[in-house]
Amino acid sequence: MSVRRRDVLLGLPLGLLLSRAQAAPADAPSVTLVTLDHGALDETRRRLRAGDDGLAAAHAALRTRAAKALKTPLRSVVDKTMLPPSGSRNDYMSMGPYWWPNPDTPDGLPYVRRDGKRNPQVAGDALDSDRMVAFCRDVFDLTLAHHFGAPDDHAAKAAEALRHWFLAPRTRMRPHLRYGQAIPGIVEGRAEGLIDTRHLWMVIDAALLLNARGVLSDADLAALRQWFVDFTQWMQTSPIARDEDAADNNHGMFFDAQLVNCLRFTGEAAKAKARLATVAARRFKPQIEDDGRMPLELARTRPFHYSAFNLEAATRLARYGQGGDVDLWREPRLLRAIALLQSAALSPERWRHATSTEPTIDPAKLVPILLMTRFSTGVDQPLLAAAVSPRTEAVDWLLWSVPPGTPDRARPSQG
């Protein structure tokens, strides 16, 4: 996109910009992303342009999601119907998903925990947790669809969504989670609330892609970085966040994944590397047994789900380590955990941890993990071959587009 074209786009109101979006976007200059790899995304775009049937279903699914996001009103934390204890709807607020009204008290307080059984009160417009996830996915889908050839209105809507959620004074989210995963009758907010922001990596990479195309201005990107500077400061200083940092299950793993992601985005590479250097001893060793089992996740009512969930954060940390000269992909405990769950998905009869809540396992939960693992290590993952036919609609197939048997594309550089 030319400088003049970029200036024109940035000066147009969203409605006019949408009406003028027609042709597919031109290729953007390469940009260093934090989680994803720009070269892999460009390889996907090349394959899509060449008519690669293997990606057609995933691309169609992405286009469908992006088309829906294009028509969805902008989202903001001020849209919730409940009022946080602060009195400001600009403060994010959610409720612990497994906490229910107390059947033994007239007012239902204090709430009681039922692990694995989600209280429907946590969903919908009253609180922000569903809204946060939907916002991140909308921005991500719109940006990716645009990168793969969708018209400029997709990128414009993604940029507008970012400004609406993070920057506009009336609708912006304040950079903290003081009221995350509250428990009625017990606490206004708690450490577990930090898991609610685990999808913000999507927003960060989307913002970098949008800025490279000139759709999100340098000033907006700088303001967004400042929001994450403030959020990262809260993560490192607040008592709530310190409790989450001390968690010895998937919450602790996701805390590190989020913190490193934010630090890398905000230019704190040395701090990110220092945190990554502690992961093997501080997260992998206490949480993953020598044979790959994760006892704290296996003790849950959905053991396969939570084991895969923990691996999602662990492999993302390994991915960040590639860009910080900390090679976590060589850690035996991580590799054995991946192998254990993959073996279970390929041969479910070997899985000895079924519960009434999770009587069967869902191999699809591993596909995003294995795609990133294959891309980052150059080692093929057997489940991916088994999952190609029924799972090609998963958008993750578009993110790590490295044809099998091309080790020269493994271990890409990250800045």
Side-chain angles (χ1 to χ4, degrees), residues 92-96 176-183 187-194 196 234 240:
Y92 179 93
M93 184 180 180
S94 65
M95 192 174 79
H176 68 81
L177 294 172
R178 193 175 305 145
Y179 307 115
Q181 292 215 9
I183 305 173
V187 66
E188 291 180 345
R190 60 198 181 112
E192 288 83 350
L194 271 95
D196 290 3
W234 181 84
I240 285 176

Side-chain angles (χ1 to χ4, degrees), residues 277-310:
T278 71
V279 166
R282 190 162 176 259
R283 301 298 186 196
F284 291 178
K285 186 175 181 180
Q287 293 193 33
I288 306 174
E289 298 289 330
D290 287 340
D291 61 1
R293 291 179 301 111
M294 291 170 268
L296 292 176
E297 312 307 332
L298 292 176
R300 302 292 297 274
T301 56
R302 294 187 292 163
F304 186 86
H305 165 85
Y306 278 105
S307 295
F309 189 54
N310 201 29

Side-chain angles (χ1 to χ4, degrees), residues 68-76 79 138 157 161 164:
K68 182 178 179 181
L70 195 62
K71 298 177 182 178
T72 299
L74 297 175
R75 304 179 195 272
S76 164
D79 297 335
D138 282 355
K157 179 66 177 286
H164 192 70

Side-chain angles (χ1 to χ4, degrees), residues 262-283:
C262 293
L263 288 171
R264 289 173 61 79
F265 177 56
T266 57
E268 298 278 5
K271 288 184 178 180
K273 183 176 180 179
R275 173 64 64 146
L276 286 164
T278 71
V279 166
R282 190 162 176 259
R283 301 298 186 196

Side-chain angles (χ1 to χ4, degrees), residues 290-359:
D290 287 340
D291 61 1
R293 291 179 301 111
M294 291 170 268
L296 292 176
E297 312 307 332
L298 292 176
R300 302 292 297 274
T301 56
R302 294 187 292 163
F304 186 86
H305 165 85
Y306 278 105
S307 295
F309 189 54
N310 201 29
L311 270 187
E312 179 185 334
T315 51
R316 198 179 303 158
L317 282 165
R319 170 79 183 144
Y320 296 145
Q322 284 180 274
D325 299 322
V326 180
D327 192 354
L328 296 173
W329 287 115
R330 296 183 183 275
E331 288 297 322
R333 292 174 188 271
L334 175 62
L335 298 177
R336 288 168 187 156
I338 295 171
L340 177 68
L341 292 191
Q342 186 167 200
S343 175
L346 287 166
S347 303
E349 68 278 4
R350 297 181 182 177
W351 184 248
R352 305 302 184 195
H353 306 283
T355 66
S356 59
T357 306
E358 189 184 54

